[in-house]
Amino acid sequence: MIRRPPRSTPSNSSAASDVYKRQEISSVVEKIGEIIYKTWNYEIRKEGHEYYGYEYKVKEKPTKSFAYIHKIEGEMHETMAEAMDKVGLSKIVNPSNNVIIKVNLCGGFKKIVASQTPLKVTEALVDKLLDIVDNRRIFLAEANNWGHVVDDRLLKRRGYLQLCESRGIQFLKLSYRPTVHFYFRGFKFPILLSRELLLYREKTKLINATVPKHHWECGVTLAAKNLYGAIADESKTKFHDYVSPMALDMVIAGSARVHNPDLNILGGKCICAGLGPHFCRPRKFGYFIISNDFLAADKLGADVLGFPYELVVHAQINEKLGIWNSDAPLLPGSATIPESIKRNIRKHAIPPKVVERNRTGLKFIYKTNPKLLRALRHFWFLIPPINWIFYGRRGDCETSWEEE
């Protein structure tokens, strides 16, 4: 039976603690099927034609955390190649690995600068990977949401279809790929995740690439929030409202833990500041934040965006587990992001009280008939001019959408 949330919404300052306590009192979920795969933090089982996943309780992760900040200078391919050399990409990825790059397309719109993973950034990353692995081993990935369908029309509008064709790589449309009914610890509702992101992780490297944004319900969209977009179920709106009071934060946190990317890359020439994730005032940035620890990437990103990290509820859920290290040491040679750039971005941060209020005030969106929400996809072309009139022209990032 679906439980409705209480009328009052807990404040962000106490929400993470409350959710963490509920995680410790994990819902008892009867495991289904025979184990077909195990890794350090979860197992996959199979019964008939269905796959089921269960998260383990663990105390530490198998790799040491690091972080690195790289200044974008000159041509993007040269900048990306230099950044990847600094973080030791050739030691993370070997020629026998498959590499999946989780991009952010459904959180943005065509022609809205900094609202999606920049095409030039993805192109440069793919070309650097081609120095290590065969093109048949490189995949891009994204899942549907209520506002977008990941099909060839969307990929063509965003330039990603042309990128895949020119490099001979495949785009995994996660909402149409084989799935696993996955149970996060402390959350009794199964989540549809992609088998390709979960099975045989020792042979598959996951790179999580997105642009930092402010977010009207979470405060920020960074590494963990981008992994929420990897959930194959396009009806993710239910986690914003009625499955359980804190479902959104618990599911974001769980998706980050389970997917646990080998590398997180945040940044680009611009940042999506203001109302995000769909509307924004593009602000100059010009840096990459890179880490093998999603919490470290998120803490550095939250600092840039000017939103208190301790109030990012999904981050605090994982912070309290003590497995990931948000204070991961910076690698030698890391750049320092000037305070002037941070100030220019931070002045557009959404105040925590407004974020908290939005969680209640925006629920009407998620209670709308799903068929009506999906029908709105056909009117996507109205969003870019609306953004330009009210927000985009107030930005200071002069890079075009095609060249960011």
Side-chain angles (χ1 to χ4, degrees):
M1 182 175 71
I2 295 174
R3 296 177 297 168
R4 296 286 177 180
R7 290 184 182 273
S8 60
T9 302
S11 65
N12 281 356
S13 58
S14 63
S17 177
D18 292 343
V19 173
Y20 179 64
K21 289 174 184 176
R22 283 199 293 274
Q23 280 193 312
E24 290 304 296
I25 310 172
S26 296
S27 301
V28 178
V29 176
E30 183 180 353
K31 294 184 177 181
I32 302 171
E34 299 294 325
I35 296 175
I36 62 166
Y37 176 71
K38 280 185 177 182
T39 186
W40 70 279
N41 60 338
Y42 62 84
E43 65 183 36
I44 304 295
R45 293 170 173 251
K46 184 180 181 183
E47 183 173 78
H49 297 292
E50 298 295 327
Y51 290 73
Y52 300 88
Y54 302 91
E55 185 181 4
Y56 292 148
K57 182 177 181 179
V58 295
K59 293 183 178 180
E60 60 182 8
K61 67 187 186 78
T63 57
K64 291 184 177 180
S65 301
F66 69 80
Y68 177 71
I69 299 173
H70 189 83
K71 185 176 182 180
I72 298 174
E73 295 180 300
E75 201 268 333
M76 183 59 74
H77 278 73
E78 294 177 1
T79 291
M80 179 61 73
E82 183 180 354
M84 292 299 100
D85 287 341
K86 291 284 188 179
V87 301
L89 181 67
S90 60
K91 295 180 180 179
I92 298 170
V93 177
N94 67 61
S96 64
N97 290 143
N98 292 327
V99 183
I100 299 176
I101 305 172
K102 167 59 178 77
V103 294
N104 183 341
L105 297 184
C106 288
F109 286 87
K110 177 182 178 181
K111 296 186 179 179
I112 298 183
V113 174
S115 67
Q116 69 170 27
T117 304
L119 180 63
K120 294 293 184 182
V121 170
T122 307
E123 181 182 276
L125 177 59
V126 167
D127 286 347
K128 179 61 178 176
L129 285 166
L130 285 171
D131 292 339
I132 304 172
V133 299
D134 186 87
N135 64 332
R136 292 170 295 180
R137 293 185 176 273
I138 300 175
F139 305 85
L140 305 182
E142 176 65 304
N144 296 353
N145 66 8
W146 67 270
H148 296 285
V149 174
V150 181
D151 57 15
D152 285 351
R153 288 178 297 177
L154 181 141
L155 297 179
K156 186 175 182 179
R157 286 198 300 267
R158 307 295 183 87
Y160 274 78
L161 183 63
Q162 297 88 323
L163 170 60
C164 290
E165 290 175 347
S166 65
R167 302 307 192 272
I169 62 177
Q170 185 178 351
F171 200 106
L172 301 178
K173 302 164 185 174
L174 298 178
S175 294
Y176 307 107
R177 309 292 295 187
T179 56
V180 175
H181 302 277
F182 202 98
Y183 290 87
F184 300 138
R185 287 192 61 246
F187 196 71
K188 69 178 183 179
F189 299 97
I191 311 297
L192 283 178
L193 301 183
S194 168
R195 288 185 214 164
E196 286 152 315
L197 297 184
L198 297 179
L199 285 172
Y200 314 114
R201 278 289 275 120
E202 66 278 0
K203 299 178 181 179
T204 301
K205 300 300 180 180
L206 177 61
I207 299 179
N208 184 27
T210 189
V211 63
K213 309 181 196 180
H214 291 119
H215 192 283
W216 50 22
E217 285 184 279
C218 298
V220 293
T221 287
L222 295 163
K225 186 64 170 62
N226 192 44
L227 294 166
Y228 177 71
I231 295 172
D233 187 352
E234 70 175 42
S235 300
K236 291 185 274 287
T237 51
K238 59 179 171 280
F239 303 127
H240 291 250
D241 179 30
Y242 58 78
V243 169
S244 73
M246 297 302 299
L248 177 60
D249 299 298
M250 294 176 74
V251 173
I252 294 171
S255 185
R257 290 194 305 270
V258 169
H259 287 114
N260 190 40
D262 299 278
L263 206 59
N264 300 275
I265 304 173
L266 307 177
K269 295 178 181 178
C270 309
I271 267 183
C272 182
L275 289 181
H278 311 300
F279 297 100
C280 73
R281 298 179 179 92
R283 312 304 295 184
K284 292 178 181 178
F285 186 48
Y287 289 84
F288 288 129
I289 296 169
I290 306 170
S291 180
N292 66 341
D293 188 310
F294 62 83
L295 274 188
D298 279 7
K299 188 171 185 178
L300 290 167
D303 176 65
V304 170
L305 292 171
F307 191 86
Y309 176 69
E310 64 273 13
L311 297 184
V312 181
V313 181
H314 58 261
Q316 296 308 309
I317 292 171
N318 288 333
E319 188 78 48
K320 292 178 183 296
L321 298 176
I323 301 168
W324 289 267
N325 181 11
S326 62
D327 294 314
L330 289 172
L331 294 178
S334 284
T336 299
I337 302 171
E339 287 300 316
S340 58
I341 289 179
K342 292 181 183 179
R343 283 195 301 271
N344 192 35
I345 294 168
R346 289 170 177 170
K347 65 185 179 182
H348 298 288
I350 305 173
K353 288 185 178 180
V354 175
V355 171
E356 185 179 332
R357 191 163 63 240
N358 286 343
R359 288 206 166 196
T360 302
L362 294 173
K363 280 187 177 180
F364 74 93
I365 297 175
Y366 308 115
K367 291 182 179 182
T368 304
N369 186 300
K371 291 183 179 180
L372 177 59
L373 285 176
R374 293 187 184 101
L376 294 176
R377 295 167 171 167
H378 301 294
F379 299 93
W380 67 268
F381 57 88
L382 297 175
I383 301 299
I386 291 173
N387 185 79
W388 171 250
I389 293 169
F390 292 101
Y391 309 107
R393 61 182 176 180
R394 300 178 189 178
D396 67 352
C397 193
E398 299 174 357
T399 301
S400 69
W401 177 80
E402 294 84 1
E403 295 299 323
E404 66 171 315

